[in-house]
Amino acid sequence: MTHPSPSPRPDRKSGPPYASRAVNGCLDVVLGLLLVLLEGLICAVATIRLAFSRTGLGGTETAGPPPMDWTPVLVLGGIGAVICLIGVVLIRGNWPRAGAIQLLVALALCVVTVQVGHEDYRRSHPTPAPAPSYGPGGTGHQCLSGGDDRECRDSGS
C-alpha cells in the first residue's frame, strides 16, 4: 500500500519577493509611527491628568517641603514598560522596524521618567540653608575690627 505523497507546498521564493518585502517594510515603519502617535497621545493625557491632580484645590498647607509624589514616576514607568513589551512582541512577530521604533520610544520615555522623578525628589528635598560664615560655637558676633577669631571671641562683643 502506497501512501499518496502530500501535495507540494508552493515555494515562497517563487513569487516576486522584492515587492512583498518593500510593502512589508513600509507597513512596518507606518505601524511603528502610528503606535508612536497613539502612545504620545496616551502620555499627553496621563501628564495632563497628573498635572491637574497636583494642583490640589482643597489641599492642606504643610510647614516643610511637600512629600515626594511617586505617582508620575509609576504612571510613566508603567507606560514605558508596556511600550517596551509591545516592541518585543513586534520584533518577535517579524515586524523589526516597528519593534525597534517602540524600543527607542520606551528608552526615551524611561529618560523622561527618571528626569521627572529627579525633579520631584529635588522639590521635596530642598538644599539646606548655607552655614553662617562665623563659627557656630562662637558668640554669634562677627569680628568687625579685622582681628583673628581669638581676638574677637575674647573681646565679648
Side-chain angles (χ1 to χ4, degrees):
M1 231 176 148
T2 61
H3 294 287
S5 64
S7 62
R9 293 183 3 197
D11 190 15
R12 289 184 180 217
K13 295 182 181 180
S14 63
Y18 301 110
S20 65
R21 283 185 189 165
V23 169
N24 191 21
C26 289
L27 290 176
D28 194 7
V29 172
V30 168
L31 174 66
L33 294 177
L34 285 175
L35 285 172
V36 168
L37 289 175
L38 178 66
E39 292 154 356
L41 181 66
I42 291 170
C43 286
V45 168
T47 303
I48 290 170
R49 287 202 50 138
L50 288 170
F52 283 132
S53 70
R54 278 190 165 194
T55 57
L57 298 173
T60 59
E61 288 287 325
T62 59
M68 183 154 174
D69 185 16
W70 286 96
T71 307
V73 174
L74 294 175
V75 168
L76 292 176
I79 293 172
V82 169
I83 293 172
C84 189
L85 181 65
I86 290 171
V88 169
V89 168
L90 286 172
I91 289 174
R92 290 184 55 91
N94 203 18
W95 295 89
R97 292 177 186 96
I101 291 171
Q102 293 303 301
L103 292 178
L104 288 174
V105 168
L107 179 67
L109 188 58
C110 220
V111 169
V112 169
T113 302
V114 168
Q115 287 178 341
V116 165
H118 178 64
E119 183 64 29
D120 199 31
Y121 179 82
R122 191 180 59 75
R123 185 180 56 84
S124 65
H125 296 89
T127 56
S133 60
Y134 53 88
T139 60
H141 298 91
Q142 287 184 326
C143 184
L144 300 177
S145 65
D148 63 355
D149 287 341
R150 185 182 54 83
E151 181 181 88
C152 292
R153 278 184 279 179
D154 292 342
S155 67
S157 58

